[in-house]
Every structure is written in C-alpha cells, then in structure tokens.
Amino acid sequence: MSDYGINTKCVQGGYTPGNGEPRQIPIIQSTTFKYDTSEDMGKLFDLEASGYFYTRLQNPTNDMVAGKIRDMEGGTAAMLTSSGQAANFYAIFNIANCGDHVVACSTIYGGTYNLFHVTMGKMGVQFTFVAPDCSDEELEAAFRPNTKAVFGETIANPALTVLDIERFAKAAHAHGVPLIVDNTFATPVNCRPFEWGCDIVTHSTTKYMDGHGAAVGGCIVDSGRFNWLAHPDKFPGLCTPDDSYHGVTYAEKFGLAGAFITKATAQLMRDFGSIQSPQNAFLLNLGLESLHVRMPRHCENALAAAKYLKGHEKIRFVTYPGLEGDKYYGLAQKYMPNGTCGVVSFGFQGGRQAAETFMKNLRLAAIETHVADARTCCLHPASATHRQMNNRELEAAGITPDLVRLSCGIEDAADLIADIGQALEQV
C-alpha cells in the first residue's frame, strides 16, 4: 500500500482478500492454533517461521489491523496492545529497564505521566521531564549517560502543546537514542512523525482511530530507521542474545525493520499479555475506515468552537493550535497544515467554580473521561485525569484549576456552539 494515499490506506490497508475470501477482515476469535507436528510449532517458538500459536502473543486479526496502521504511519512493523497505556509502557520498557533513564515532555497526558513517574519509577526507570518549548540548553541538560529514549506527544493532552518533532529528534539522535512520539491526537491523517525524524510512534487507538467509544486499544509502530546496532552498549536487549528466547539477537536476525516490534512481541507481550482482543481489533478497523473523513470535521468544529470562545467575555484563555494567534500555531502549520485535532482547552474568568458551573449546564456535550470520538464530550482535568498531580506538576503539565477540555465531535457546528453559549449564560 506504500504507493497509495492516506485515504486509501485508511480504507484498504492491512488486508487484501483473495478469491472467495471475506471482504471484511475476519475475526479470528480463538485463543490457540492447531499444528500437524511438534516440529512445525517448534519453528514458531524458535522464531524460525511466521505464524500463530497463542493469542496472548499474536493474533491474525490484530496483525491485519496493525498492518493498516503501519501503512498509514509509513512504518515497517506494528503491533496492537490492549490500551494506549500498554503501548507507551511497551515502547519504553522494550529499551529502558531498571537503572535506565528517559527524557519526556512535561505536558504529556496525566495517565502517562503517572505511568512514567510513579509506576515505572518503582521499576527503576527514571524520567526527566522537560517543557516542550524548553531551550536547547535545557533539553541538552536533561540527557544522562544512561538515557535510552526521548518521549513526547504530537499534540499534548489536554495542554494542546505541539511537539517540535525535528528539534527533539535531532537532540535524541545526537545522544544515540530514539524519539518516541504518541501521535494519538493528530493521527496519521494529520501528522506522520516519521517524516520529521521520529523513530517510534504510539497510539491510544481508543480515541480518534476507533472514533466511536466502542473499544479500548493501543498500537506501536516502528519506523525501521533507528540503527540499534550502531549503539550496542545502549541497547543490549536488542543487540545481544536473548537467553529467554533461545539466544536470538533481535537486531541481527530481524534487522532494523523488524527488531523492535519482534522483541516487544516475543518478550513483553509474552510476559505481560496486554493483547488487544480480536473483537476490539475488528471494531477498531471499522473506525479506521472512516478516520480520513471524520478528522476534517473534528478539526472544523473545534476551530469554530475556539473562535467563538476566544471572543467571549467570560473566557480567560483559549488554547487550540489550529487557531491563528495560538502559541503553537506556527508549529502546527509546519507539522499539521491540514488540521490538528478536535480538542479545545479553555479557562474561565471566574476560575474553577465557573468551569464547574459551565460543565453542569451543558446539554449536548457530555461529561466523560473519554476524548476524541464522534460525540462531543468535556472534562475538568484537574478533577479527573490529572487529579493525582500536585499543583507544581499540574503547572508543568499546562493544567490550571479552571481549565476545561472540550472534545468536539462531528455533530453540526452550530449546535455545538449553541450548547456552549447557553451553558456560558449560566456562569
């Protein structure tokens, strides 16, 4: 599918039926797979043959959908996970273990921050958090001899900061480590980080990719460009024999195109089992087929809402990278000239109480922890997704007590603005 445009990849990537085969991807709802001989199965366990033996590691339905996302991002290999959190954990833990260090943006999603700072901290992986618009000197100072990766979000949730992918990729590569970018909010329809130097992309497929709030899931895509063998001392898990898998050296056996995802599957998925169910993968694929149609509408509605809010006397600030005059508008135009996302963040002159009053009076938009699907929803992050953070951490993440995150769906824009307007009247 490499010669086709992104719209075609959304619809037909990952699966081409043969003569008389089902037009839609089949759901292989089976935990295990039958083989004629032990020798045949043994080849799978030795990674000498491709195939399936247990869905905790791999499943044909999942691989078809992962193949579509791989094509959309322009990568060489991909895998589905049970959630976006699992995808980010695997992407980091595949190369950074106890005693290692990672540089990450401070504005990343609150759940990811907690995963990194608290849970992975307990596992011995340390993180240094830097602002996405930090100086070159501050970024350079964040690196350590044991740094193994740099992590950021294309568009941060919910601060809506835009990552300067080229700059962070350059810094990462100068230290011999990959840049990992969570591309959930932009999706490959609006941004393809590999084209700007990123090495590994993650997604919470639960969001725009699914698009209907139907199935939780995640995905990791490898660009196949980072040369692990050029830095064997930094990445022994990829460049030295894996005693837990018959002594295979992933970077040598599977090359740049396949080493990272094969290791993540053979090691991490084997041991942690955070597989996406085949049924969820099927639902995800249905969402992907319309992603290129939905994303422009999400962006149009968000821009209309941002413009309306920007001029309202009760609103203290509006953050939307697609809005001219926004702090990140220039970067958004560079990396996402055709649109950013459908999420708008804004704060109130009346502070937190005004934000809570506003949300209580919404009729069309629902208060949900979810974001980025066909229906408009909103959230007060300081009370929900970022509740575990203290005031200093909230400030670093770009979260204020009065901030509301509005995820614009694909309804009629006039109806969304009317709902916003009547709720503001109650503030």
Side-chain angles (χ1 to χ4, degrees), residues 36-72:
D36 292 335
T37 68
S38 294
E39 289 78 12
D40 289 338
M41 182 169 284
K43 291 177 182 178
L44 299 177
F45 277 88
D46 286 342
L47 301 178
E48 295 293 342
S50 60
Y52 305 91
F53 53 85
Y54 199 54
T55 285
R56 190 182 77 230
L57 281 87
Q58 284 180 287
N59 178 280
T61 305
N62 291 19
D63 281 357
M64 293 173 198
V65 182
K68 172 176 283 191
I69 298 173
R70 175 204 63 209
D71 290 346
M72 292 164 62

Side-chain angles (χ1 to χ4, degrees), residues 334-372:
K334 174 181 177 178
Y335 294 117
M336 296 162 278
N338 296 320
T340 55
C341 67
V343 181
V344 182
S345 292
F346 53 97
F348 290 79
Q349 298 287 2
R352 183 168 187 157
Q353 183 60 51
E356 293 175 350
T357 299
F358 168 79
M359 292 177 62
K360 288 177 182 177
N361 286 280
L362 288 168
R363 298 170 183 168
L364 187 61
I367 298 175
E368 302 176 15
T369 55
H370 194 40
V371 66

